[in-house]
Amino acid sequence: MENNFNNSEEEFELQKMANKKVLKLKAFYSHAFVYSIGMIIFILKEYAGLPLNFLPFKYINCFVMIIWTTVFLVSAVDLFASFKIFGEEWEERKVKSILEKKEKTQKWE
């Protein structure tokens, strides 16, 4: 009975971690979409010479794009390189160790 309970608890924790990954991926892809639109507007404004000087577009300049590109690249490295460095095996070991610690602190005897 205890093994079944531990397995369901581990599955719940793994499900929670998978949900967090999916949310991070969704946020990254949304950010990538908005970034690509911003990059297109920047290129059209700076290199094609389109007069996009009304309110939201007049603040897109080289400095803003450098900062935005840096933030975008850092978020991409954080999301995709963390999968390479901290793979699924590491995550499973970490979840098991957290569950073991929780089990040791909650003795029902």
Side-chain angles (χ1 to χ4, degrees), residues 26-69:
K26 182 180 175 184
F28 175 77
Y29 290 138
S30 299
H31 184 199
F33 179 72
V34 172
Y35 173 75
S36 63
I37 291 172
M39 185 59 79
I40 290 169
I41 290 171
F42 172 73
I43 290 171
L44 289 175
K45 181 180 169 189
E46 292 293 319
Y47 298 109
L50 290 177
L52 298 173
N53 291 326
F54 48 91
L55 186 61
F57 300 130
K58 74 178 184 181
Y59 294 111
I60 295 179
N61 56 22
C62 289
F63 180 73
V64 170
M65 290 311 293
I66 289 170
I67 298 296
W68 197 0
T69 302

Side-chain angles (χ1 to χ4, degrees), residues 5-6 9-10 12-13 16 94-108:
F5 177 72
N6 288 337
E9 192 172 341
E10 287 178 17
F12 176 72
E13 289 294 325
K16 221 164 63 169
K94 192 67 176 171
V95 167
K96 286 179 183 178
S97 70
I98 290 170
L99 292 175
E100 286 174 1
K101 286 179 184 178
K102 186 181 267 189
E103 185 178 304
K104 286 180 182 178
T105 59
Q106 292 183 347
K107 298 263 181 178
W108 297 99

Side-chain angles (χ1 to χ4, degrees), residues 80-96:
F80 295 115
S82 66
F83 286 132
K84 300 286 184 190
I85 296 170
F86 303 110
E88 291 179 17
E89 295 173 0
W90 179 84
E91 289 177 359
E92 288 176 9
R93 286 195 314 258
K94 192 67 176 171
V95 167
K96 286 179 183 178

